[in-house]
Amino acid sequence: MLKTLLDRNANTSILLAGILAIIVGVGVARFAFTSLLPYMLEDFLSLTYAGILAAFNFAGYLAGAVFSIFLKDINTKVKYFRIGMILSILTTLVLATTTNETLWLVSRVIAGFGAAMVLIVGGAIVMVKLNVENKTKAMGIHFSGIGFSIAVSEIISQYILRDGTWADAWLALSGFAFIVTFYVIYILSFDKALKKDAVKHPLSMSIFSTYVILLILAYFTEGVGFVVQATFLPDIINSLEGLQGYGNLGWLIVGVAGIPSSIIWMRWAHSYGSVNVIIIAMALQIIGILIPALSTNIYLNLLSSALYGSTFIGLVALFLNYGGQLAGKNPVVLMGAMTAAYGIGQVGAPLYSVALVDYYGNYNSTLYVTAFIVFIGILFLLYAKKIEPMKES
């Protein structure tokens, strides 16, 4: 077993390294911020500044997504993937060692860029390295790392918070990331540099058909649907009457529900078509978004967390995998373009969220607006199915 886990070309080790990479690049460098937000709000952060930090983080992610489109050969992708892992560690360490607002803003931007290198470029590396006939199902396992990233970062944070501060939690997370990164970098590389002409594919605008553009627009709305709860979910639950203190439990449920979700959704996509399954997942996500605005029942709000975790993670896997399939030999091109649209939604959503919360005094209007935007995404997909139903797979 140990020999397999140390084999760079074994599917088991490739998938494990991919999951661990997501835990570092997305969990530690991004989602841990959501987990620790209630504690930082009690100390020195304001909700408005937290929203600005989130927007800066997603701006960095957007920049990374656009940048990834122009990484043409696998050797360059490996280099920038490694840079993304290192940036994820260093930017987390900044949050542990200073409360300087300027440094936090800069670190959030850089962390976002690093997360894009890990999730998009790392995903492309995993897709290239895997030696399986059905990569859709295998990539479902890879993207389960998003669920693990939430659960693992939450468990580490809550363990440290029993006797320590949020700064101690950031320090522990950066230490964990540092240790894990050695294995990830070792596995997600190649025994020797590949010939560039064998893996280099020119950018082609021909893949951006009306069908694909509608798919990208739908993923933009999903970026909005993702980010509001990704940034504020614990605080949303804590703000409801009678539910103060349940926010972090809700966030842990998001991660746990998300772990198997991408595997399940990807299997369904293989059987019933990616676009059909994406529409169903987005409809369930809308229900989860609306629950906190309509009820203060603890069980319904924990169900909301489960719906959120089991849909947004699955949707990332579904969209990116489907985009990779449509792009053909250079999957990172369309994956990067889609993630850029997703990133634009991510940048704007925290800003309108805090503005509406400041104006109305609660999250209800934010949740209504977000649910409506995701619904528009469903309409985009329904129209895409109408114009080119044969592209669905």
Side-chain angles (χ1 to χ4, degrees):
M1 183 64 179
L2 180 60
K3 185 177 179 181
T4 300
L5 292 178
L6 293 176
D7 183 353
R8 286 177 171 173
N9 301 310
N11 290 326
T12 300
S13 62
I14 293 167
L15 288 171
L16 175 60
I19 289 171
L20 290 173
I22 293 175
I23 291 173
V24 172
V26 181
V28 171
R30 168 62 193 96
F31 284 134
F33 190 90
T34 302
S35 173
L36 295 170
L37 180 59
Y39 304 92
M40 294 187 293
L41 288 173
E42 290 177 0
D43 192 356
F44 84 104
L45 277 186
S46 67
L47 185 64
T48 299
Y49 187 57
I52 293 171
L53 287 171
F56 269 68
N57 180 252
F58 293 128
Y61 189 81
L62 171 59
V66 173
F67 180 78
S68 69
I69 298 173
F70 300 97
L71 300 179
K72 299 179 183 180
D73 70 86
I74 197 68
N75 302 308
T76 303
K77 289 171 188 172
V78 169
K79 180 176 73 173
Y80 279 98
F81 168 73
R82 292 175 175 177
I83 290 172
M85 292 293 294
I86 294 169
L87 291 178
S88 297
I89 299 168
L90 295 178
T91 53
T92 304
L93 198 58
V94 169
L95 303 184
T97 55
T98 180
T99 55
N100 182 284
E101 292 188 356
T102 302
L103 288 177
W104 273 49
L105 286 172
V106 172
S107 74
R108 289 290 80 198
V109 174
I110 296 173
F113 180 87
M117 294 300 100
V118 172
L119 187 60
I120 304 170
V121 180
I125 293 169
V126 169
M127 192 176 285
V128 169
K129 288 201 62 147
L130 282 173
N131 184 27
V132 290
E133 188 172 329
N134 186 347
K135 291 194 177 183
T136 297
K137 292 181 180 179
M139 289 304 289
I141 297 173
H142 169 70
F143 284 114
S144 71
I146 300 176
F148 278 110
S149 75
I150 295 173
V152 171
S153 60
E154 171 68 11
I155 290 169
I156 292 173
S157 297
Q158 292 304 314
Y159 179 80
I160 299 299
L161 285 167
R162 292 191 308 175
D163 300 308
T165 66
W166 56 261
D168 296 328
W170 282 122
L171 189 61
L173 287 164
S174 60
F176 167 80
F178 177 76
I179 294 169
V180 166
T181 293
F182 284 99
Y183 178 77
V184 172
I185 288 178
Y186 171 74
I187 296 295
L188 295 184
S189 59
F190 296 88
D191 295 325
K192 59 182 179 179
L194 301 184
K195 290 183 179 180
K196 292 187 179 182
D197 58 356
V199 293
K200 189 173 181 178
H201 307 288
L203 297 175
S204 174
M205 297 306 294
S206 63
I207 62 172
F208 292 99
S209 63
T210 302
Y211 181 87
V212 168
I213 290 171
L214 287 168
L215 194 70
I216 291 172
L217 289 172
Y219 201 39
F220 159 77
T221 69
E222 175 52 26
V224 175
F226 153 75
V227 76
V228 173
Q229 286 171 296
T231 305
F232 302 111
L233 188 140
D235 196 52
I236 290 172
I237 295 178
N238 287 339
S239 69
L240 298 176
E241 185 178 352
L243 301 189
Q244 188 171 6
Y246 284 98
N248 282 92
L249 174 60
W251 186 241
L252 179 60
I253 288 174
V254 169
V256 172
I259 290 170
S261 69
S262 59
I263 301 172
I264 296 170
W265 286 114
M266 296 284 264
R267 287 182 180 273
W268 287 342
H270 181 70
S271 300
Y272 304 110
S274 294
V275 175
N276 290 330
V277 173
I278 288 170
I279 289 171
I280 293 170
M282 290 178 75
L284 289 174
Q285 186 178 73
I286 290 172
I287 296 172
I289 290 170
L290 290 174
I291 286 175
L294 301 173
S295 174
T296 59
N297 181 278
I298 178 60
Y299 299 108
L300 284 177
N301 277 278
L302 294 180
L303 173 63
S304 168
S305 298
L307 284 173
Y308 173 63
S310 61
T311 54
F312 99 81
I313 294 172
L315 284 163
V316 170
L318 289 164
F319 272 104
L320 291 184
N321 181 74
Y322 188 41
Q325 289 179 6
L326 293 176
K329 293 183 178 180
N330 198 5
V332 78
V333 174
L334 189 47
M335 290 169 71
M338 292 172 65
T339 306
Y342 191 80
I344 293 170
Q346 289 178 317
V347 172
L351 300 178
Y352 80 68
S353 296
V354 296
L356 290 173
V357 171
D358 285 344
Y359 187 80
Y360 290 103
N362 58 53
Y363 283 97
N364 291 353
S365 56
T366 295
L367 296 172
Y368 289 134
V369 169
T370 303
F372 177 74
I373 292 172
V374 176
F375 176 71
I376 295 298
I378 292 177
L379 296 182
F380 285 140
L381 292 173
L382 290 172
Y383 184 65
K385 280 172 57 67
K386 184 177 179 181
I387 62 172
E388 281 190 73
M390 293 307 293
K391 281 215 174 186
E392 211 174 320
S393 62

